[in-house]
Amino acid sequence: MKSPRRERREKLPAPPSPSPEPGSAKGDPERLYVITGGPDGGERAALDLVTMVVACSTPSPTVQPEQAAILRLCRAPLSVAEISAYLRLPFSVVTSLLTDLLATELVESRAPIVRAVLPDRSLLEAVMHGLQRL
């Protein structure tokens, strides 16, 4: 009985590299320059990654496409990090776009709600002793 013989398969050609998606800014610094309005983009609002943003109105035909996308996304509050991830744009570009939207009062921003600090240990002990006496 003959053992089965293995045949070599031809090597398949590598799949073509994916073209950049419409929302992707990778490899396109000129597009980012146009979106932000230059190297500076002027003075920016004090926003960080966890700042919550909510839209105040629907997008008008005069806003940039990226700003219209932000307004549609922010019907419910979203953090700046989430907006950046959904749009696949760098944080600095999103901050520049949000600065323009804040100036025209199309969006509102606020710091995230911080959990209250823990109560003082002595207060917790007093409550615990009071409950033990019951």
Side-chain angles (χ1 to χ4, degrees):
M1 188 172 193
K2 268 186 167 179
S3 63
R5 190 169 180 204
R6 292 188 178 185
E7 294 181 20
R8 291 189 180 198
R9 295 182 185 170
E10 287 185 31
K11 197 172 191 179
L12 296 174
S17 61
S19 61
E21 296 178 23
S24 176
K26 279 188 175 179
D28 196 3
E30 294 87 14
R31 179 174 170 267
L32 297 179
Y33 182 87
V34 170
I35 290 172
T36 58
D40 272 347
E43 193 173 320
R44 293 192 180 160
L47 300 170
D48 60 3
L49 290 172
V50 294
T51 301
M52 300 301 288
V53 178
V54 66
C56 298
S57 65
T58 57
S60 68
T62 59
V63 297
Q64 294 179 15
E66 292 80 12
Q67 290 176 332
I70 290 173
L71 290 171
R72 283 190 298 273
L73 278 173
C74 293
R75 290 181 186 143
L78 283 178
S79 69
V80 177
E82 291 172 313
I83 296 168
S84 177
Y86 285 135
L87 295 179
R88 293 185 176 134
L89 290 172
F91 171 73
S92 58
V93 173
V94 172
T95 304
S96 177
L97 293 169
L98 286 172
T99 300
D100 295 340
L101 291 172
L102 285 166
T104 56
E105 297 180 353
L106 293 173
V107 296
E108 291 179 352
S109 68
R110 66 170 174 80
I113 298 171
V114 182
R115 291 184 178 176
V117 289
L118 293 174
D120 186 30
R121 182 180 175 99
S122 61
L123 175 64
L124 291 174
E125 288 175 354
V127 170
M128 182 179 74
H129 291 305
L131 290 172
Q132 286 174 344
R133 287 188 202 135
L134 292 176

